[in-house]
Amino acid sequence: MRLEAITWDRLVDRLAERLIDLKPADGSPWPRVAFDGAPAATPGDLAARVHEALRIRGRPSLVVGTEGFLRPASVRLERGHQDVDAYYDGWFDTGALWREVFGPLEPGGDGRVLPDLLDPVTDRATRSPYVQLPPGGLLLLHGPLLLRHWFPFDLTVHLLLSPGALRRRTPESEHWTLPAFERYENETDPGGTADVLVRTDDPCRPAWSG
């Protein structure tokens, strides 16, 4: 896929303009957008900036991060603190994401979304209140390994890092997760399946598929 250089400001504006007219494929009133990428690619930063650009344009949206839907430490670390298979398959509570985030945004849903469930630092329930997303409001979900779960996204954005850039920008203490992202590339091909691809090897000079 051919990528063209772009500034972050311009990229955010272009994405926001595209999302303004996004219509859910299943007839739901709420479009659902993925910002998929390894933590080193900081997909949450892009989601937050797009959220602000949409707000300025009068379009409501809700940013949700999958780090708020981790399984409890007793479950996700059952096989050790650095088990790659557990990270790939079992760290994130996809059942809770379906129930608390995607379910309310299905056709006939009530639009009441739980923005997070578990504090990843304290490993305790956040007890956050539900957020009412009005009809036409967009869900902006960000996190790693999103495109392998068959979530009903209406637009997917993948932040791509080359293997070398991923290693450089991932803290050494988290290098044990790198094989999970290699497996993700091989099994899911997010760069080939996402609607929008953003290469972020140089954090100051992104490129995208347009």
Side-chain angles (χ1 to χ4, degrees):
M1 181 180 295
R2 185 174 181 178
L3 303 178
E4 63 180 47
I6 193 170
T7 65
W8 283 112
D9 287 345
R10 182 61 176 156
L11 172 62
V12 168
D13 284 341
R14 294 281 296 274
L15 282 174
E17 291 298 334
R18 183 166 179 175
L19 295 181
I20 285 289
D21 297 322
L22 184 64
K23 304 295 183 186
D26 62 0
S28 164
W30 303 281
R32 294 141 297 192
V33 183
F35 290 83
D36 173 64
T42 61
D45 290 351
L46 181 57
R49 293 186 65 176
V50 170
H51 165 76
E52 178 61 18
L54 288 169
R55 185 191 66 80
I56 292 171
R57 290 165 171 80
R59 187 75 181 268
S61 64
L62 175 66
V63 178
V64 175
T66 58
E67 74 274 6
F69 287 87
L70 287 172
R71 297 184 188 278
S74 60
V75 176
R76 70 178 187 273
L77 305 179
E78 184 177 9
R79 291 185 283 176
H81 284 72
Q82 298 186 358
D83 187 283
V84 176
D85 290 336
Y87 178 75
Y88 190 76
D89 289 319
W91 268 42
F92 299 97
D93 192 342
T94 55
L97 282 166
W98 278 104
R99 182 179 67 252
E100 303 291 358
V101 178
F102 288 100
L105 303 182
E106 292 177 348
D110 61 10
R112 294 179 71 249
V113 175
L114 189 66
D116 50 52
L117 187 63
L118 190 79
D119 186 316
V121 176
T122 65
D123 196 44
R124 299 187 179 205
T126 57
R127 303 190 186 279
S128 296
Y130 283 85
V131 176
Q132 184 69 54
L133 193 60
L138 293 99
L139 170 70
L140 309 180
L141 181 70
H142 65 84
L145 313 173
L146 284 179
L147 305 187
R148 60 181 295 268
H149 296 298
W150 301 100
F151 290 137
F153 293 118
D154 300 295
L155 187 85
T156 54
V157 180
H158 176 63
L159 281 74
L160 174 67
L161 288 170
S162 67
L166 177 60
R167 176 170 288 275
R168 288 193 305 272
R169 294 175 56 185
T170 299
E172 188 172 350
S173 62
E174 298 175 13
H175 277 188
W176 65 271
T177 65
L178 297 179
F181 293 105
E182 181 179 1
R183 178 180 171 187
Y184 183 52
E185 290 288 336
N186 293 334
E187 293 184 356
T188 306
D189 186 24
T193 57
D195 299 307
V196 177
L197 183 63
V198 181
R199 180 177 287 279
T200 63
D201 285 5
D202 184 339
C204 297
R205 297 179 176 84
W208 81 317
S209 59

